[in-house]
Structures are given as C-alpha cells and as structure tokens.
C-alpha cells in the first residue's frame, strides 16, 4: 500500500504495515467512514479488503495489541483510481450522414 493520502490506488490493493514493538496482534479497522469500523484481529501485517469501489476514499487504522493492552493507531486514508471518462470527438461525427462506404476510418 502506498503512503497515507495516496490517490489513484488500485481497486485490488492489499494493506500492509510494520508492526509496533512488543505487538502480538493487530486490530484492523477499515471502511469508507472516519473513524473506520473494526474488521478483524489478526497476527499478520497485511490485510486484503477484497475488490474496492473506484473513485472512493477509504480509511484504515491498525490498533496494536499485547497482553498489557492496546495502542490505538493513526487513521490513514487513500483514494482508489476513478473510472475512466467517456470517449469524445468521434469521427465520423455522431449522427453524420453521407459518410463514404469505403475508405472511412472510425476514430
């Protein structure tokens, strides 16, 4: 995963982070609202949220845990790549009449 506030992130991104010292598990929080909702407690340092929506801002936080308690993480965010725009300037033009039946290139 790219840096905090990254834009143009793939809709198939996997989150990853470096564990805090003395951590035994990680509380993953992820969603489209801030603060992000709790998703899972796990021992690994990657999380695959599945296919994401295009052009959407996501928030995530990792709460580090051990037998002494929990350290609340910082909320990070990223925005996925938007859908492509519409094609424009067709040639021949939309609705054109009298277009040659041979030698015409569509673009």
């Amino acid at each position: 995963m790219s840096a905090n506030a990254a834009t143009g992130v793939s809709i198939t991104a996997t989150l990853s982070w470096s564990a805090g010292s003395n951590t035994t598990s990680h509380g993953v929080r992820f969603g489209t609202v801030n603060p992000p909702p709790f998703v899972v407690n796990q021992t690994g340092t990657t999380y695959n949220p599945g296919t994401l929506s295009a052009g959407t801002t996501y928030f995530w936080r990792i709460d580090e845990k051990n037998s002494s308690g929990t350290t609340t993480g910082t909320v990070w965010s990223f925005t996925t790549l938007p859908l492509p725009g519409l094609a424009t300037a067709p040639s021949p033009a939309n609705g054109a009449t009298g277009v040659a039946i041979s030698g015409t290139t569509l673009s």
Side-chain angles (χ1 to χ4, degrees), residues 31-82:
T32 57
V33 296
N34 188 5
F38 176 79
V39 177
V40 67
N41 191 57
Q42 63 179 45
T43 57
T45 57
T46 63
Y47 174 72
N48 184 338
T51 301
L52 305 172
S53 297
T56 302
T57 298
Y58 289 92
F59 300 92
W60 62 298
R61 183 178 93 196
I62 304 300
D63 295 339
E64 300 291 58
K65 301 177 180 220
N66 69 17
S67 60
S68 296
T70 300
T71 298
T72 300
T74 301
V75 174
W76 298 311
S77 68
F78 64 91
T79 303
T80 53
L81 185 67

Side-chain angles (χ1 to χ4, degrees), residues 88-99 104-107:
T88 60
S91 177
N94 185 36
T97 59
V99 177
T104 300
T105 300
L106 303 177
S107 64

